[in-house]
Amino acid sequence: MDTIQDINVMPRIGDKAPAFKAVTTQGNINFPADFEGKWTILFSHPADFTPVCTSEFMTFATMQKEFDDLNCQLIGLSIDGLYSHIAWLRTIKEKIEYKGMKNVEVTFPLIEDITMEIAQKYGMVQPGESTTKAVRAVFFIDPKGIIRTIIYYPLSLGRNFRELKRVLIGLQTADKFGVALPADWHPGDDVIVPTAGSCGKAKERMEGKDGEMTCYDWFFCTKKLPKEEIDKKLYKK
Ligand code: BEZ
């Protein structure tokens, strides 16, 4: 039985990812249990056989190895049936050549959700935009099944998949190194160290006693974190 939490409540950052069982183009899944220990990006698209979605799937599938290497499983969803999904993915592979991408095989699971049960659970149907199609939602879920980032795009705008990869790397870097990441951060840029927790520490930092840090004020200090160190910790061997 649904609990009050399951009914018409949009999941939020920090919540446990709502559980579901689904039929996909790669067989049945039990989410998030089947993916414990991995990051997942669960994303919705409005409809199969539509141009923006086709460009998105080709782009994401072409980047699949980059996400695999970061221990991240991609999982798509739309309010279409399994046979529509299969036919669309076959068309993409067999017929579509776009921006140098061709013969693109989508090997990550694509969920059928004709009942909208999962889309509703995840707040992917936003009636002001459409009552019959999911918006372009992206949920980043960590290896313990906790939602860590949510991004929504409207029907008319394709996602920036480089940005989605940057978000994943940012979340993993923040976790592994205990740092925060400033505006427009990319691996190799300086990172933000936790704010001084005492007057003494604040004074030390402002006196430049920690040579590793650059402090713009007592509460805003950064340090170097070379890209190679991040790569070593994040990427599978
Ligand atoms: C598209 O993917 O092209 C699309 C889907 C739904 C509404 C508008 C555009």
Side-chain angles (χ1 to χ4, degrees), residues 34-225:
D34 287 350
F35 303 93
E36 205 185 314
K38 289 186 91 148
W39 286 80
T40 51
I41 296 181
L42 174 66
F43 68 102
S44 56
H45 69 276
D48 299 345
F49 292 100
T50 50
V52 179
C53 300
T54 299
S55 70
E56 289 194 315
F57 264 64
M58 293 182 77
T59 307
F60 224 179
T62 302
M63 293 172 70
Q64 158 107 46
K65 176 155 185 337
E66 298 175 48
F67 287 89
D68 282 349
D69 289 346
L70 287 161
N71 189 31
C72 180
Q73 173 72 53
L74 310 178
I75 305 175
L77 174 149
S78 80
I79 301 165
D80 291 289
L82 182 65
Y83 300 135
S84 164
H85 285 343
I86 293 170
W88 180 44
L89 299 188
R90 285 174 61 88
T91 301
I92 288 176
K93 180 167 162 48
E94 288 163 13
K95 300 211 179 107
I96 312 282
E97 188 171 342
Y98 173 69
K99 285 199 165 174
M101 296 179 280
K102 66 174 184 183
N103 201 27
V104 174
E105 184 148 14
V106 175
T107 56
F108 55 79
L110 174 50
I111 294 170
E112 79 158 2
D113 190 27
I114 25 186
T115 62
M116 298 195 202
E117 191 187 325
I118 302 164
Q120 297 283 11
K121 263 190 179 168
Y122 274 82
M124 291 164 170
V125 181
Q126 306 204 350
E129 185 76 340
S130 170
T131 50
T132 55
K133 293 175 170 51
V135 295
R136 300 180 198 281
V138 189
F139 288 83
F140 293 78
I141 296 161
D142 75 14
K144 293 189 174 133
I146 303 297
I147 296 172
R148 299 291 300 279
T149 298
I150 304 171
I151 307 177
Y152 292 107
Y153 290 67
L155 302 189
S156 56
L157 177 64
R159 286 162 275 216
N160 181 327
F161 290 91
R162 292 272 138 226
E163 169 62 4
L164 301 189
K165 184 177 172 189
R166 190 189 76 93
V167 170
L168 178 67
I169 292 175
L171 290 167
Q172 294 185 352
T173 300
D175 283 4
K176 292 260 193 242
F177 293 91
V179 295
L181 296 327
D184 294 334
W185 177 84
H186 278 92
D189 294 346
D190 290 357
V191 299
I192 294 174
V193 296
T195 300
S198 68
C199 294
K201 267 266 169 277
K203 186 164 176 288
E204 270 178 31
R205 286 190 181 181
M206 287 315 286
E207 286 168 354
K209 289 200 173 136
D210 192 328
E212 285 207 330
M213 288 184 204
T214 303
C215 288
Y216 301 92
D217 203 334
W218 68 271
F219 64 90
F220 182 6
C221 298
T222 62
K223 68 171 183 184
K224 304 230 166 292
L225 180 54

